[in-house]
Amino acid sequence: MIAQVIVDIAAKQTDRVFEYHIPDELGEVEIGARVFVPFGPRKLQGFVVGLSEISHFQGKLKDLLLVVDEMPPLTPELVALSQALAKQIFSYRITILKAMLPRVMRANYRKILVPLSDKAKKIPFFQGEPVDLSKITAPKEISFVRKLLNNDDAKIEYLVENKAKVKMQNQYSLCLPKEEYIKIYNSLRQNAVKQKQLLQEIITNYSSFPKMQANLEQDAHLTTATLTSAVKKGWLKKATIEIYRDPFATSAVTPQKKQRIKLNQEQRAALAKLSPAIADAQAQTFLLEGITGSGKTEVYLHAISQTLELGKNALMLVPEISLTPQMVTQVKGRFGAQVAVLHSGLSEGELYDEWRRIRRGEVRVVVGARSAVFAPLTNIGLIVIDEEHESSYKQEDNPRYHARDVALWRSKYNSCPVLLGSATPSLASRARAQKGVYQLLQLKKRANNKQLPQVNLLDLKQADFAGGQFDLSVQLVEAIKARLIKKEQVILMLNRRGFANFMLCRECGYVMQCPNCDLSLTMHKDTGQMQCHYCGYTEAIPAVCPKCHSSKIRFLGTGTQKVQEELTALLPGTRILRMDVDTTRRKGAFKRILDSFGNHEADILLGTQMIAKGLDFSNVTLVGVINADTGLWVPDYNASERTFELLTQVAGRAGRAEKKGEVIIQTFNPDHYAIKFAQTQDYERFYAYEMQMRHAGNYPPYFYTVLISVAAKKEQNAAREAFKIKQRLQANLHPATIILGPTPSAISRLKNQYYYQILVKYKKEANLNNLLHQIQDSAQEVKRYGLNIYIDNEPERIM
């Protein structure tokens, strides 16, 4: 038998199938298996993507070296998906295959030096651990290694290491009848305290064995020595077994009662249209457009329940890690141990174990963020994408896939419906629903029949400010105070983290910039650093101007840190929680902050856009948007859509239960249509207006788009290559296709690379896909000259 393998090198020359003979001793090899293969002088990891009886290769095939996993990590569906995606998103197939696995399952390669001659084997240099060449940095050692290689006293070998580790624990089972343990207990001398303690545990909890060592040590206060002695005496039998790391171990999820929440009329009508597609296994797409608080989640849960009753499995995606704890709590509360969760907030071990539970068919429901769309779930009967409009569903780095597109492919493969849900659907999805490509389901009322919160716009050009920072208006602060008196809670959003946006010298006009990017550094007061939010560069906050050494420096602009400090000064004793990238780096931080706020341990939750969607707190009666304009003037065609979505979503966090809600939006642009329509939460009018704007500008969803970016350390090199690509496009595409650029990106330099970009807008262009693949292949050739070419199909950002 012959294995068709994709090897772990992302390059034009290796982006094809290589054939290897399967030796008899490896047994049966399946599609989707991870294998180690010889490749030139190296050993590489690869994935089996096909099997055949015969080969068309003229020479002798090399043998597979090793099958890594007991069960193939990838299903045949995911292998087929990798091939389809490689054609659509201009990424090499191995990159896609690796993206489908948890980080810990990706191979780690090491170059080691191995002695060959007897003389070399006796050198102290080779005694002990293998010599890792990446750790040889001293000039004398480098020279010594070269001499060994030149004299054939040593050779270089390539090690492929599997980082994935199974967690093992000791388990103790009983060897004797209960009566025997009672006899032994009675025969022990009085001072055999530890032995009596163990036997008492066995007799009292006889039926609960076998037990894990950790439980025995914790519950019965036993030591390893006592347990080892018991094994020698024949009282206990010890076994080492695999256990799963539980991401829910520190959180108490209360199972909900068996009776499900009763749906209202609108929810029942939506579910009635979706149910036949689930029952009849139809690959149909539904768009559930429901105002904030209309009970979309309950429709999801009823649809998942129906899917499980039919013996099928369900996949549910949420856009942000911050949403996952609340959504998981609801889903796990309904479906218990049948639920697995996948997102980057888990430890590598937890992610690996959750992934293996899914692959082994031990769970029925998967909830997770973007990459969970690759979960190795089989027999899928329903795919749900919550907040489908979110840009975080698009992967910005290679491979640049959109989770929604992957879900639609899996829907066809599994013959199952996809349910897209949002209060503010993306214009593309809404347009498809308008044309009948998707079926539109609408929820126009809140589930509890409460009114949407009153939204007030506050013009910052005419506002009076509380404090001296010009961030918080008197009106907003008074509204906060009124809520605090009534023991109600407040959510405040500012979509900008840090303390100040930039440092300005009033003497010479110097602005402190990142040395790697064309951006000013942001001040982070809590860490005492100026930080670049793109490349991570940091340096200490200066006391004087680095250029003219004047002490007349100012830190201008605002961020969540500065607002928190100002709130603390204006409202002494108020309990404030801040939720942004800086406060949620640690594992479990999202959940801890949200749980604390949900338990009324804080009065105000202040955060960036991560607090804007999906959160449901019954005691929140006021939502304040500190500056609605942060994303409004970004040089992107969808800036207005993003602003409208964000404001509508965050406004929906207020008044979700019995208490009436209010929203105050501070803005310098109260007459902008995105802000005006967000005030009335009128999605239909915004959709109609924005579609006119898109039509006038020839932008999606009226046109398809592809963004080609060229990066180089020298700006002229990036520009030259970009113009070459444009000439190639113009020579091969129809005149009706619009080619914009090349122009410098909005942020022209990032991480010491200058970026030029070309935007292609088209309606029908049969030649484009092949042409872009040719450009992708040629990128491999120009890379040696320091040029990088990136192709993004249907980009979420054009900057």
Side-chain angles (χ1 to χ4, degrees), residues 479-712:
I480 294 171
K481 287 178 180 177
R483 270 35 182 220
L484 297 180
I485 291 168
K486 292 192 279 187
K487 305 294 183 187
E488 294 170 355
Q489 291 174 293
V490 178
I491 288 178
L492 297 176
M493 188 195 76
L494 174 63
N495 200 20
R496 187 173 284 153
R497 65 188 175 100
F499 188 87
N501 301 123
F502 61 97
M503 185 224 84
L504 172 70
C505 176
R506 289 180 293 164
E507 196 77 41
C508 70
Y510 174 78
V511 174
M512 200 170 184
Q513 286 197 305
C514 174
N516 309 316
C517 308
D518 191 17
L519 289 161
S520 59
L521 295 176
T522 302
M523 178 189 180
H524 285 254
K525 196 172 181 180
D526 56 350
T527 59
Q529 291 181 322
M530 303 294 290
Q531 186 182 108
C532 176
H533 288 174
Y534 280 79
C535 73
Y537 172 84
T538 60
E539 62 177 271
I541 296 172
V544 296
C545 173
K547 187 176 180 181
C548 72
H549 306 294
S550 166
S551 59
K552 294 179 181 180
I553 58 173
R554 290 280 304 272
F555 295 93
L556 303 176
T558 191
T560 48
Q561 288 181 22
K562 184 184 280 189
V563 172
Q564 183 179 17
E565 188 176 279
E566 191 173 355
L567 283 167
T568 303
L570 291 169
L571 305 167
T574 304
R575 299 168 299 171
I576 303 167
L577 286 171
R578 195 177 94 237
M579 191 165 174
D580 53 29
V581 171
D582 300 315
T583 62
T584 54
R585 293 187 196 280
R586 290 181 180 272
K587 181 178 179 292
F590 286 101
K591 190 173 188 310
R592 282 192 295 274
I593 293 171
L594 295 177
D595 284 351
S596 182
F597 191 67
N599 294 331
H600 300 180
E601 293 167 16
D603 307 304
I604 298 174
L605 177 63
L606 165 68
T608 53
Q609 65 175 1
M610 61 177 64
I611 65 167
K613 42 206 169 280
L615 305 183
D616 192 346
F617 297 110
S618 60
N619 198 39
V620 171
T621 57
L622 175 67
V623 166
V625 178
I626 292 164
N627 188 341
D629 312 325
T630 51
L632 195 57
W633 304 116
V634 170
D636 230 334
Y637 75 93
N638 53 14
S640 296
E641 181 184 5
R642 295 250 179 92
T643 298
F644 173 81
E645 288 169 351
L646 188 59
L647 296 180
T648 304
Q649 292 284 343
V650 75
R653 301 312 109 208
R656 293 178 71 90
E658 296 303 314
K659 298 172 184 176
K660 189 178 178 182
E662 181 188 1
V663 181
I664 296 176
I665 298 176
Q666 298 187 157
T667 173
F668 288 100
N669 299 279
D671 296 322
H672 192 284
Y673 68 94
I675 292 173
K676 294 288 284 184
F677 289 134
Q679 180 185 16
T680 55
Q681 303 214 24
D682 192 339
Y683 175 80
E684 297 304 320
R685 288 183 66 195
F686 172 79
Y687 170 73
Y689 192 99
E690 182 67 10
M691 286 292 277
Q692 290 177 7
M693 301 290 284
R694 299 287 179 88
H695 188 267
N698 295 327
Y699 278 109
Y702 292 101
F703 277 73
Y704 297 110
T705 56
V706 173
L707 185 68
I708 304 168
S709 301
V710 182

Side-chain angles (χ1 to χ4, degrees), residues 703 726-740 760-769 771:
F703 277 73
K726 181 176 182 176
Q727 289 168 0
R728 193 169 175 182
L729 292 169
Q730 287 175 323
N732 290 279
L733 300 180
H734 294 108
T737 296
I738 301 168
I739 304 172
L740 299 179
V760 181
K761 299 194 280 187
Y762 66 100
K763 289 192 174 182
K764 287 183 181 178
E765 191 57 83
N767 300 328
L768 185 59
N769 192 279
L771 183 57

Side-chain angles (χ1 to χ4, degrees), residues 184-334:
I184 296 168
Y185 181 86
N186 292 328
S187 68
L188 284 175
R189 62 185 189 279
Q190 284 297 111
N191 63 349
V193 179
K194 290 294 182 184
Q195 293 181 43
K196 282 200 164 195
Q197 200 173 320
L198 170 62
L199 289 164
Q200 185 67 51
E201 171 70 14
I202 293 171
I203 294 163
T204 307
N205 300 298
Y206 188 86
S207 60
S208 64
F209 276 80
K211 278 194 168 190
M212 306 306 295
Q213 180 169 332
N215 294 338
L216 287 168
E217 289 175 350
Q218 184 177 341
D219 300 340
H221 308 292
L222 297 168
T223 63
T224 305
T226 305
L227 294 170
T228 303
S229 174
V231 170
K232 289 179 181 176
K233 291 176 187 292
W235 299 350
L236 294 175
K237 184 179 180 182
K238 177 182 170 182
T240 305
I241 65 164
E242 174 191 340
I243 65 161
Y244 290 130
R245 286 154 279 224
D246 184 7
F248 307 107
T250 57
S251 59
V253 178
T254 308
Q256 295 177 7
K257 294 178 181 177
K258 284 293 178 186
Q259 71 259 26
R260 295 185 294 186
I261 294 171
K262 192 174 180 181
L263 300 181
N264 63 26
Q265 187 177 345
E266 281 190 331
Q267 290 170 318
R268 288 198 302 274
L271 190 63
K273 291 179 180 176
L274 174 64
S275 293
I278 297 172
D280 300 338
Q282 297 174 2
Q284 192 173 350
T285 305
F286 295 83
L287 177 62
L288 180 62
E289 180 190 320
I291 63 170
T292 54
S294 58
K296 295 183 290 294
T297 301
E298 204 53 49
V299 176
Y300 304 156
L301 295 177
H302 275 68
I304 291 171
S305 184
Q306 180 186 336
T307 305
L308 300 189
E309 286 167 9
L310 292 169
K312 295 192 173 182
N313 302 325
L315 174 61
M316 183 176 187
L317 302 183
V318 293
E320 300 264 7
I321 302 172
S322 58
L323 292 185
T324 314
Q326 281 208 335
M327 187 62 77
V328 167
T329 299
Q330 292 183 67
V331 180
K332 197 165 176 66
R334 190 72 59 90

Side-chain angles (χ1 to χ4, degrees), residues 292-557:
T292 54
S294 58
K296 295 183 290 294
T297 301
E298 204 53 49
V299 176
Y300 304 156
L301 295 177
H302 275 68
I304 291 171
S305 184
Q306 180 186 336
T307 305
L308 300 189
E309 286 167 9
L310 292 169
K312 295 192 173 182
N313 302 325
L315 174 61
M316 183 176 187
L317 302 183
V318 293
E320 300 264 7
I321 302 172
S322 58
L323 292 185
T324 314
Q326 281 208 335
M327 187 62 77
V328 167
T329 299
Q330 292 183 67
V331 180
K332 197 165 176 66
R334 190 72 59 90
F335 303 112
Q338 300 179 95
V339 180
V341 58
L342 292 176
H343 61 76
S344 59
L346 302 182
S347 70
E348 289 198 339
E350 288 170 348
L351 199 60
Y352 177 52
D353 286 354
E354 288 292 277
W355 188 89
R356 284 188 304 136
R357 286 176 67 218
I358 299 164
R359 183 66 184 96
R360 291 171 173 178
E362 296 171 13
V363 297
R364 305 284 309 281
V365 182
V366 175
V367 182
R370 179 181 59 232
S371 61
V373 77
F374 294 125
L377 194 65
T378 56
N379 191 28
I380 299 174
L382 175 68
I383 301 173
V384 177
I385 303 184
D386 187 33
E387 310 290 6
E388 70 86 29
H389 64 275
E390 272 295 320
S391 60
S392 59
Y393 282 125
K394 177 71 184 282
Q395 169 82 6
E396 291 188 1
D397 299 322
N398 197 21
R400 294 175 174 82
Y401 67 91
H402 198 299
R404 183 174 54 224
D405 297 334
V406 176
L408 293 174
W409 188 95
R410 296 195 76 176
S411 159
K412 290 175 185 173
Y413 187 95
N414 289 278
S415 299
C416 73
V418 173
L419 178 58
L420 309 175
S422 176
T424 54
S426 64
L427 264 66
S429 293
R430 188 63 168 77
R432 290 187 181 106
Q434 201 93 329
K435 288 183 177 180
V437 179
Y438 298 166
Q439 185 168 349
L440 183 63
L441 313 173
Q442 289 182 304
L443 304 177
K444 297 181 178 180
K445 297 177 183 176
R446 282 196 155 182
N448 55 10
N449 290 318
K450 298 293 178 185
Q451 292 296 311
L452 285 168
Q454 179 185 345
V455 181
N456 300 310
L457 297 184
L458 188 66
D459 188 346
L460 290 175
K461 296 191 296 293
Q462 301 171 7
D464 294 322
F465 290 95
Q469 297 296 340
F470 305 104
D471 294 322
L472 300 168
S473 64
V474 171
Q475 186 176 332
L476 178 57
V477 172
E478 290 302 317
I480 294 171
K481 287 178 180 177
R483 270 35 182 220
L484 297 180
I485 291 168
K486 292 192 279 187
K487 305 294 183 187
E488 294 170 355
Q489 291 174 293
V490 178
I491 288 178
L492 297 176
M493 188 195 76
L494 174 63
N495 200 20
R496 187 173 284 153
R497 65 188 175 100
F499 188 87
N501 301 123
F502 61 97
M503 185 224 84
L504 172 70
C505 176
R506 289 180 293 164
E507 196 77 41
C508 70
Y510 174 78
V511 174
M512 200 170 184
Q513 286 197 305
C514 174
N516 309 316
C517 308
D518 191 17
L519 289 161
S520 59
L521 295 176
T522 302
M523 178 189 180
H524 285 254
K525 196 172 181 180
D526 56 350
T527 59
Q529 291 181 322
M530 303 294 290
Q531 186 182 108
C532 176
H533 288 174
Y534 280 79
C535 73
Y537 172 84
T538 60
E539 62 177 271
I541 296 172
V544 296
C545 173
K547 187 176 180 181
C548 72
H549 306 294
S550 166
S551 59
K552 294 179 181 180
I553 58 173
R554 290 280 304 272
F555 295 93
L556 303 176

